[in-house]
Amino acid sequence: MTSPQDETDADQPEYTQDDFAIGDTVVDREQDDPDHVAVVVNRPPMAAEDWEAYRVDGEAVTVAEDNPDYDPTANVVVVIYPEDLDEWGIDWDANSPIKLGDAPTGIAYAFPPRRLELVGTYSPDQADEATEPETTDGEENATTDDETPESAPDTAAETADQSPAHERLEEIAAVVAELNVDDVTVDPSEEVVIVEKLAESYAIDTDGSVDADDLLAQRLEDAVSEELEE
């Protein structure tokens, strides 16, 4: 029987875990940004139906449950994004698996192999190159003689940072940052916390409500409610 994912990606290779090597670079076929490359860091002998992706109300959600269109019996492929490797500061040669127990919480992701697409091989220099500032020929420090590196803060922004709403947003951001998400940003102008997960964005209001209705949105609301309930 042909699954919905097979029908959608009939022309795509039927990858298994064995097709991926440690240090391969891959992209998630379902993400909005096809240039957001991840690195294969581990190939555990565990099927998608047995690998816990996250929890909702204390109940485990497996990779297979989070990816119902893929083979639940296929062994998962674990990846980390280069920018997270760089921020973590790990000295990794890209030749041997990273012990997942040594990785910080929330930076390693397990995928069904058919959801990934091979694109190349990782070099430890890639993360550094991605973070180096771009300069033009002959360009030097743009600071003029009458400027100082430490400019006075904007009064309006400073006032917003001190407001009760901003303090609440910072508290919410601290809670959700502990979850398995990609990025957390406080937007004081809109008075929301922006959470990024696998190229999806979630906005959390000061009351803890989320502008979405899926498993992760419920998980975010529950975490804020449990930690910040007054």
Side-chain angles (χ1 to χ4, degrees):
M1 178 177 179
T2 303
S3 69
Q5 189 65 31
D6 290 335
E7 293 173 356
T8 302
D9 296 334
D11 58 340
Q12 297 288 356
E14 294 188 8
Y15 287 127
T16 69
Q17 187 192 74
D18 292 337
D19 293 308
F20 297 89
I22 301 301
D24 280 345
T25 52
V26 298
V27 293
D28 175 7
R29 291 173 176 168
E30 294 188 8
Q31 71 178 359
D32 294 332
D33 182 2
D35 297 323
H36 194 196
V37 175
V39 186
V40 176
V41 300
N42 206 309
R43 303 184 309 162
M46 187 173 293
E49 61 188 359
D50 298 321
W51 188 280
E52 179 182 319
Y54 52 87
R55 288 179 172 267
V56 176
D57 295 334
E59 295 294 325
V61 177
T62 67
V63 171
E65 290 169 332
D66 200 39
N67 295 271
D69 292 334
Y70 297 88
D71 181 3
T73 66
N75 284 351
V76 298
V77 175
V78 179
V79 306
I80 294 179
Y81 289 94
E83 58 267 30
D84 291 329
L85 284 171
D86 184 53
E87 184 176 350
W88 181 18
I90 181 176
D91 184 14
W92 183 54
D93 60 9
N95 293 320
S96 56
I98 290 178
K99 295 181 180 179
L100 300 179
D102 295 339
T105 301
I107 74 168
Y109 303 98
F111 283 88
R114 283 215 64 202
R115 182 168 166 175
L116 299 175
E117 179 70 31
L118 280 166
V119 294
T121 303
Y122 175 73
S123 167
D125 295 331
Q126 285 180 244
D128 294 335
E129 292 171 358
T131 57
E132 288 180 359
E134 294 184 3
T135 58
T136 57
D137 292 342
E139 180 182 1
E140 297 182 2
N141 194 319
T143 303
T144 60
D145 292 339
D146 59 348
E147 292 177 334
T148 59
E150 298 180 1
S151 58
D154 181 81
T155 303
E158 188 177 49
T159 303
D161 288 349
Q162 297 171 348
S163 70
H166 185 83
E167 292 179 1
R168 175 69 174 183
L169 294 174
E170 291 288 356
E171 292 174 350
I172 292 173
V175 170
V176 298
E178 297 299 319
L179 304 178
N180 187 23
V181 297
D182 296 338
D183 187 52
V184 179
T185 306
V186 173
D187 185 344
S189 62
E190 297 293 332
E191 293 194 346
V192 294
V193 173
I194 303 299
V195 177
E196 300 285 342
K197 171 71 173 181
L198 297 177
E200 295 290 338
S201 294
Y202 299 80
I204 308 178
D205 205 341
T206 53
D207 63 1
S209 60
V210 182
D211 68 339
D213 184 20
D214 58 21
L215 289 175
L216 182 56
Q218 185 61 56
R219 182 184 175 216
L220 294 171
E221 288 188 355
D222 290 345
V224 172
S225 176
E226 291 172 7
E227 295 295 328
L228 302 181
E229 187 176 15
E230 297 181 353

